[in-house]
Amino acid sequence: MYRFLENFETGIPFIDNGHRRLLEDMEEAREALAAGHEDDYHRLSGQILATMHDHIVKQHVYEEEIMTMSRDGELADQKEAHTHFREVIDQHKSSMNFQNDHEELTSLLNFLNEWFLQHILSSDMLIGSALRKAKAAAVEAKARAAKEARAAEAAHAEEAAKTREAADEVAKEGQATTAADGDVKAGSGEEEPALQPTEAFAAPAKKVTKKRAAAKKQASVATPAAESGKDEAPAAKAAEPAEKVKKNVEGKPTEKKAAAPASAAEPAAKATAPKTAKPTTTVIKAKKAPADPFAFTDEFHTQIPLVDKEHETLFNLVRQTYELVHDEFRVDKFDDIIEIIEELRDYTIKHFADEERYMKSINYDGLPEQVAAHTAFVEKLNNIDFDEIDRDQEDALDKLIKFLLNWLVQHILKVDKKMPYIEEAASKLME
């Protein structure tokens, strides 16, 4: 029975709808085979191949575009899997005839079942994160463009301000030149208005002089010659203030002149004196350590003790495989790699058997899908090409480890965690 379960969802409606349509065709073909409707075999094979071709034209292109935008490192592997999908379609198209319709339809269903349980659950699940990366990259690019635009606008405004300042300087120089020309003309007597104030102030000065002269005449007539000595004394006294003034002119002003530069220099000194910088404390933030992809964290817990314990062991076995592959101090490690992969396969078979036993004991509705998924995963482990691993150990095993880890993560989060916890059944499982 082929149903579009939650564990098949990538979170992208366009991709999920394409997967759903494939599963619907697969279920129709399965029912026809189960009922022995031979007349429908050829039609259903053609229908599935058409759906698969449409799947390639639309969905695979879309998936690759998303991964390209997000610069996803898995793009090359995704393209390789899509190429294999296309090759299967071409092979079935060329071999279709009315004599082997049953074999063709059965073969197509087996391939698609494996495709769903391996490629979709291990690779397509990552498309959702790739789309989020692509959107984040688009937002970052937009923000960067806005920042550059603001910087360009600020630079333009600064340049405009400099241009205005230069224009103002030119205008000021022009005004100064015009004023200087006016002063030259005034000094030469060309303009009469400049002379009128001088004449106006000169007239009262002449009147004062006549009065003083008349007063002196009267004083000289009325005052005897003996009093002329008295006039000399006031004159001497009048001269004393002049001397004091002279001393003040020679003394105090010079002190002021000497003091003035010092007082004027004080603000300048204050302005130029460097401020004492306050000691700054440099805060060094600790960098977050990258997430451990092999860590069995709380998010993977199903609350079923034995299942969780076995899942943790599987994570550790995948980690050991990775560490063995990347151990630079071990030269010939091919035999060790085969040994740990076989240990991983055997333990996986045991774990799946325990899970299925628990699901049977609680009459779990999702058991058929779980069995199909387990079977496909074990087949993947059984079909490992050790010759390919021997030719290029690191690359071939990195691909295998990536598949194992992705499949395990997606299967636990989207399938195993749906299993309800029944205390009695979980306790018996531990016996």
Side-chain angles (χ1 to χ4, degrees):
M1 184 176 182
Y2 300 102
R3 295 182 299 174
F4 188 79
L5 303 176
E6 187 178 349
N7 61 308
F8 291 142
E9 292 180 357
T10 64
I12 304 172
F14 180 76
I15 294 177
D16 291 341
N17 290 337
H19 290 163
R20 188 177 285 105
R21 182 182 170 189
L22 267 177
L23 279 171
E24 288 171 356
D25 285 354
M26 290 168 65
E27 177 60 16
E28 186 178 357
R30 186 197 67 80
E31 291 175 353
L33 286 170
H37 296 161
E38 297 180 3
D39 294 341
D40 291 333
Y41 293 169
H42 192 81
R43 176 185 65 81
L44 290 171
S45 294
Q47 178 177 307
I48 289 177
L49 287 173
T51 302
M52 290 171 70
H53 181 267
D54 188 58
H55 195 72
I56 287 176
V57 171
K58 295 180 179 178
Q59 186 158 318
H60 287 181
V61 172
Y62 180 66
E63 290 176 359
E64 291 173 13
E65 284 179 352
I66 291 175
M67 298 180 80
T68 300
M69 286 190 295
S70 62
R71 298 177 182 177
D72 199 304
E74 312 296 326
L75 177 60
D77 294 338
Q78 191 80 346
K79 285 184 174 181
E80 184 180 345
H82 292 169
T83 300
H84 175 59
F85 192 89
R86 187 162 47 249
E87 289 172 353
V88 170
I89 293 177
D90 294 339
Q91 180 184 348
H92 279 277
K93 280 182 178 179
S94 62
S95 62
M96 270 188 66
N97 57 63
F98 288 95
Q99 296 178 351
N100 64 345
D101 288 337
H102 183 274
E103 290 77 7
E104 282 293 322
L105 189 57
T106 303
S107 178
L108 277 172
L109 286 181
N110 290 338
F111 168 75
L112 287 174
N113 182 62
E114 182 180 355
W115 176 264
F116 264 88
L117 298 174
Q118 292 186 6
H119 177 77
I120 292 176
L121 285 179
S122 66
S123 299
D124 283 357
M125 290 299 127
L126 304 178
I127 301 294
S129 61
L131 180 60
R132 287 191 293 274
K133 289 179 184 177
K135 289 180 177 179
V139 170
E140 183 181 352
K142 186 176 180 181
R144 187 167 56 251
K147 184 178 180 181
E148 291 173 358
R150 287 194 298 271
E153 186 177 349
H156 178 71
E158 184 178 356
E159 188 66 26
K162 288 181 179 179
T163 303
R164 286 195 299 271
E165 287 177 4
D168 292 343
E169 289 294 330
V170 172
K172 287 179 182 178
E173 289 177 2
Q175 291 174 359
T177 303
T178 304
D181 291 342
D183 291 342
V184 170
K185 290 179 180 179
S188 62
E190 292 178 1
E191 293 182 8
E192 292 182 1
L195 296 174
Q196 289 175 359
T198 306
E199 294 175 355
F201 283 109
K206 289 178 182 178
K207 291 180 181 179
V208 171
T209 304
K210 287 179 181 180
K211 287 180 180 180
R212 286 182 180 177
K216 282 183 179 180
K217 264 187 178 183
Q218 291 173 2
S220 60
V221 172
T223 308
E227 290 182 2
S228 61
K230 294 180 181 180
D231 292 337
E232 290 176 4
K237 290 179 180 179
E240 288 178 6
E243 289 178 2
K244 290 180 180 180
V245 170
K246 187 176 181 182
K247 288 180 181 179
N248 290 338
V249 170
E250 292 176 358
K252 291 183 180 178
T254 52
E255 290 175 2
K256 287 180 180 179
K257 287 178 182 177
S263 61
E266 286 178 7
K270 290 180 181 178
T272 56
K275 294 182 180 180
T276 305
K278 293 182 179 179
T280 56
T281 305
T282 304
V283 179
I284 301 175
K285 294 182 179 180
K287 293 183 178 179
K288 292 183 179 179
D292 181 1
F294 305 102
F296 185 74
T297 57
D298 291 342
E299 64 178 327
F300 298 116
H301 287 178
T302 64
Q303 308 307 322
I304 304 169
L306 182 62
V307 172
D308 289 339
K309 181 182 177 182
E310 291 179 348
H311 282 165
E312 186 173 8
T313 302
L314 286 173
F315 269 84
N316 288 333
L317 286 172
V318 177
R319 180 199 294 275
Q320 290 174 30
T321 306
Y322 176 83
E323 290 174 350
L324 176 60
V325 171
H326 293 276
D327 188 350
E328 298 178 358
F329 297 99
R330 301 177 70 171
V331 180
D332 189 8
K333 47 193 174 185
F334 181 68
D335 291 340
D336 295 326
I337 289 171
I338 293 177
E339 182 178 346
I340 196 169
I341 288 176
E342 288 179 346
E343 181 182 357
L344 176 62
R345 180 192 59 200
D346 293 342
Y347 193 84
T348 300
I349 293 171
K350 173 188 180 303
H351 165 65
F352 287 162
D354 289 339
E355 268 190 356
E356 291 168 14
R357 181 158 55 92
Y358 174 77
M359 287 184 281
K360 286 178 183 177
S361 68
I362 63 173
N363 297 318
Y364 183 52
D365 183 53
L367 177 60
E369 286 81 9
Q370 280 273 33
V371 171
H374 293 168
T375 302
F377 188 78
V378 172
E379 286 180 0
K380 176 72 175 181
L381 294 177
N382 286 332
N383 294 330
I384 293 174
D385 188 348
F386 288 104
D387 291 334
E388 181 185 356
I389 291 175
D390 193 26
R391 287 192 298 271
D392 187 359
Q393 292 182 8
E394 188 166 326
D395 185 59
L397 283 170
D398 275 343
K399 288 181 179 179
L400 176 63
I401 290 166
K402 181 180 65 180
F403 165 78
L404 295 175
L405 189 61
N406 288 344
W407 192 95
L408 194 58
V409 166
Q410 297 300 329
H411 185 72
I412 292 174
L413 293 179
K414 295 193 173 184
V415 180
D416 287 349
K417 290 194 73 170
K418 300 296 181 184
M419 292 188 297
Y421 170 68
I422 307 298
E423 185 177 0
E424 184 179 356
S427 300
K428 287 183 178 179
L429 192 63
M430 295 289 292
E431 295 175 359

